[in-house]
Amino acid sequence: MKETAAGFTTTSNTKAFDRSHRKTINFNMSKYNAAVPQGKLQFAELHLARERAKNIKWKAIETLDQQLESFEAAITKRGAKVIWAEDAAQALDAIKKICEEKNCKTLVKSKSMVTEEIHLNHFLEKQGIESVETDLGEYIQQLAGETPYHIVTPAMHKSKEDIALLFSEKLGTDPSLNPEQLTLVARDTLRAKYRQAEVGVTGANFIIADIGAVAVTENEGNGRLSCSMPKTHIVVTGIEKVIPSMHDLALFWPLLATYGTGQRITSYNTIIAGPRQEGETDGPEEMYVILLDNGRTNILANEKQRESLYCIRCGACLNACPVYKNIGGHTYASTYSGPIGAVITPNLQDLGEWKHLSHASSLCGNCTEVCAVKINLHELLLENRHEAAEEGLAPFGEKMAWKIWKIAMLRRKLINIANGSMKARVINTIGKAWTQHRGKLDFPKKSFNQQWKEKSGNK
Ligand code: SF4
C-alpha cells in the first residue's frame, strides 16, 4: 500500500472513533442542515435552477479556451495583467516576481482554496514575506498551524472553546473570551495588517468571460479589503471557474450562497474588472490575474471526468457525505476533501497515489443528490476506480483477491465446499478485518443451493 493510502487508513481508523471530533462536527453541521432548507425556499423551481446552472457550466467548460480568451481580452483592456500558469511552480514564480517588484514584506490574503493548492503561504514564508490569512476561519487555522478542514468552513472542527484557548496561547488573550470578543481581537489584528500590506491576494468564485471580471463572494468583507487596500491585487484562480456572462451571476450567486451556508445571498459579493481606473478614488494601482491549470486540462481531456470541472465549491457534498462526517477533512490529506476532493484529487495529481480516496465512499449517492450543479459525483468515483483498475494500478494482493473471488463466484460448487461454520471462522478470524469494528458474522448452516432446493420442494 502506498504511503498516502496507508496514512489515510490509519488516520481514518482513529478519527472515526474520536467522539469529541464527532460531537463538534455534528453540532456545526446541524446548524448548516437547519439553514439550507430555508435558503432553498427562495427558488421557485430548485430542480430547474440546478439543471440550468449545470448547463451553463457545461457550455463554459466545453468552450473553455474561447471563454478564457474573451475574459483576458476584456480585463486587459481595463489595465489588468493576465498570467497563464501551467502548474503551481509557474504560479508561485509569477507571485514571487510581483512581490519582489513591489518590495513586499506583508501580504494579506482572503480565503482561496487555489492558493492552498499551490501552498502559497509556505512558499512566501520561505521568501521572507509575511502572508496573513484574513478570513476568520482561515486565520484561526493559520494560528493553529493547520490547513483548512473544509472548503467553505475552514475551522469547522473547532468549538468556540478550542478557539478561545488557541487565541489565548497564540495571542495572549483571556481564555474565557466569547465568540464576539474573539472576532473583535481578530478584527483589530487584521485591520493593522491591511494597512501594512503591499500586496493583497484573493481567489475568484467566478471568472466572468463577457465583461472580463472576477467575482468574489464572502461573508466578512475581508476579501473586499484584501483586493482594494493594498496597492497591488493578485487574483489566483483555477481556469475552470469561468462562467460565460455576468447575467449568469443572478443564478450562481444565490445557488452558491444557499448550498454553501443556507443563506439567500452571501453578505459581500464583489465584481472586480481591473485596477483603479482614471478618476476613481479607490482600488489597487495594479491588478494581476493568474489563471492556473495545474492538472485541470487533464480532467478536461477526459470526457467522463470533465463534469467535475463544473464544481462551484459550495461544500454541500462534504456536509452530506457519511464518510466525511466520520473521518473529517484533514484525514484526506489533500487540498480538496469530501466527495469532490475524492473525485478530482486523483485526476489533478496522480491516480496511483490518490486512488484510495475514490474508495472512501459508501456510494450512497447522497453527494450527487445534494450537488448544487448536479455533478454525478458517485459515478465519477466509480469511474476513478474503473480507470485505476484499467491502468493496472491495484496492488498485487487486491488483484489476487479479485481473481480468487471470480473463480469462486463462477463455480458454485467451490463456494459450497465450506459449510456455514467454516465460512464464519474464516471471515471472523483472518486478519480481523471484519470483526475489528463490527459484530461477528454468523453464516447459515445450509448453503443457498440446499435452501433453494428445500424451499422449491426439489429435495
Ligand atoms: S461537487 Fe457539487 S456539492 Fe460538491 S462542492 Fe462542488 S458544487 Fe458543491
Side-chain angles (χ1 to χ4, degrees):
M1 195 188 280
K2 297 239 176 185
E3 216 175 291
T4 352
F8 178 80
T9 310
T10 312
T11 320
S12 306
N13 275 330
T14 319
K15 245 342 175 211
F17 294 91
D18 179 343
R19 290 198 178 174
S20 134
H21 169 257
R22 185 178 296 224
K23 193 176 153 208
T24 311
I25 287 303
N26 285 348
F27 175 74
N28 288 333
M29 281 198 182
S30 69
K31 289 187 184 167
Y32 172 85
N33 292 338
V36 170
Q38 294 303 315
K40 284 181 180 172
L41 293 176
Q42 70 177 313
F43 295 96
E45 295 279 0
L46 182 59
H47 168 73
L48 284 182
R50 292 166 69 207
E51 282 284 335
R52 186 166 162 70
K54 182 172 190 172
N55 287 341
I56 293 170
K57 284 303 288 186
W58 169 81
K59 179 181 164 191
I61 297 297
E62 290 298 314
T63 55
L64 188 60
D65 50 347
Q66 295 158 33
Q67 303 288 345
L68 291 173
E69 280 172 13
S70 153
F71 163 79
E72 183 182 26
I75 202 164
T76 307
K77 268 191 203 150
R78 291 178 58 87
K81 296 180 185 94
V82 174
I83 298 166
W84 298 75
E86 272 176 34
D87 52 26
Q90 284 188 9
L92 292 172
D93 193 44
I95 296 169
K96 183 180 167 200
K97 281 192 186 125
I98 299 166
C99 288
E100 278 171 356
E101 230 173 75
K102 309 298 165 199
N103 200 16
C104 174
K105 301 274 178 297
T106 307
L107 178 149
V108 280
K109 190 165 131 345
S110 76
K111 192 163 90 60
S112 146
M113 290 310 290
V114 173
T115 55
E116 292 294 330
E117 185 184 324
I118 62 174
H119 305 294
L120 180 60
N121 285 348
H122 181 63
F123 174 80
L124 290 172
E125 202 182 300
K126 284 206 284 187
Q127 311 302 318
I129 298 171
E130 185 192 20
S131 173
V132 186
E133 294 289 351
T134 61
D135 170 87
L136 183 57
E138 286 278 8
Y139 179 65
I140 292 166
Q141 289 305 92
Q142 190 176 34
L143 278 184
E146 293 175 11
T147 55
Y149 177 91
H150 185 283
I151 58 178
V152 174
T153 327
M156 185 190 247
H157 60 310
K158 286 188 164 45
S159 65
K160 57 181 190 303
E161 291 78 17
D162 294 336
I163 297 165
L165 199 61
L166 176 72
F167 273 44
S168 126
E169 280 167 16
K170 302 286 177 180
L171 306 173
T173 52
D174 180 346
S176 64
L177 293 188
N178 65 31
E180 287 74 24
Q181 292 166 321
L182 291 166
T183 309
L184 286 176
V185 170
R187 181 190 158 105
D188 277 352
T189 316
L190 294 173
R191 287 286 152 122
K193 295 294 175 189
Y194 289 120
R195 286 193 292 273
Q196 230 175 294
E198 296 86 5
V199 174
V201 172
T202 69
N205 292 94
F206 302 103
I207 301 171
I208 312 165
D210 62 348
I211 60 162
V214 294
V216 177
T217 286
E218 32 118 17
N219 270 316
E220 297 166 16
N222 62 302
R224 209 170 262 190
L225 289 170
S226 298
C227 71
S228 58
M229 280 188 75
K231 286 187 174 168
T232 304
H233 175 207
I234 306 175
V235 180
V236 190
T237 175
I239 50 174
E240 82 286 10
K241 291 291 183 76
V242 78
I243 52 171
S245 165
M246 191 171 86
H247 298 295
D248 299 325
L249 286 175
L251 173 61
F252 281 101
W253 268 344
L255 206 57
L256 177 58
T258 289
Y259 280 79
T261 54
Q263 290 165 283
R264 287 165 66 90
I265 193 83
T266 316
S267 307
Y268 297 92
N269 294 289
T270 312
I271 297 175
I272 311 154
R276 182 195 308 178
Q277 305 293 298
E278 221 179 293
E280 288 181 351
T281 51
D282 51 23
E285 288 169 8
E286 282 188 83
M287 178 182 176
Y288 297 84
V289 182
I290 300 180
L291 296 174
L292 180 72
D293 178 345
N294 213 25
R296 285 158 177 82
T297 44
N298 296 338
I299 301 182
L300 185 69
N302 182 328
E303 254 179 70
K304 287 190 178 142
Q305 300 286 354
R306 195 176 292 168
E307 192 179 339
S308 61
L309 295 175
Y310 304 170
C311 175
I312 57 170
R313 307 277 188 266
C314 70
C317 58
L318 281 64
N319 301 334
C321 176
V323 174
Y324 184 92
K325 279 191 268 195
N326 275 288
I327 65 171
H330 285 150
T331 304
Y332 290 78
S334 54
T335 305
Y336 306 101
S337 56
I340 186 62
V343 167
I344 60 174
T345 307
N347 296 304
L348 285 176
Q349 298 194 30
D350 177 67
L351 185 59
E353 190 71 30
W354 293 95
K355 67 181 168 47
H356 60 277
L357 293 186
S358 310
H359 294 264
S361 168
S362 62
L363 296 179
C364 62
N366 209 21
C367 45
T368 303
E369 196 69 29
V370 302
C371 176
V373 287
K374 287 182 167 261
I375 299 172
N376 286 313
L377 288 158
H378 67 294
E379 285 179 18
L380 295 181
L381 288 171
L382 281 175
E383 180 57 26
N384 275 354
R385 296 183 192 183
H386 173 73
E387 286 175 16
E390 286 286 293
E391 288 181 29
L393 295 172
F396 177 75
E398 189 184 320
K399 284 185 199 159
M400 285 310 292
W402 283 116
K403 264 193 187 144
I404 294 167
W405 179 85
K406 189 177 169 189
I407 292 169
M409 284 298 133
L410 291 174
R411 290 166 188 81
R412 192 75 224 177
K413 277 185 187 159
L414 273 179
I415 301 179
N416 291 345
I417 286 175
N419 62 24
S421 51
M422 275 169 74
K423 284 177 191 164
R425 208 173 312 139
V426 171
I427 297 290
N428 293 333
T429 52
I430 289 186
K432 293 212 177 349
W434 180 264
T435 50
Q436 197 180 3
H437 300 304
R438 307 175 185 90
K440 286 186 175 174
L441 279 181
D442 189 16
F443 286 83
K445 289 204 170 45
K446 291 179 182 172
S447 71
F448 175 79
N449 292 124
Q450 286 168 316
Q451 292 183 55
W452 179 262
K453 277 181 192 162
E454 283 173 16
K455 281 191 180 149
S456 60
N458 189 10
K459 294 179 190 175

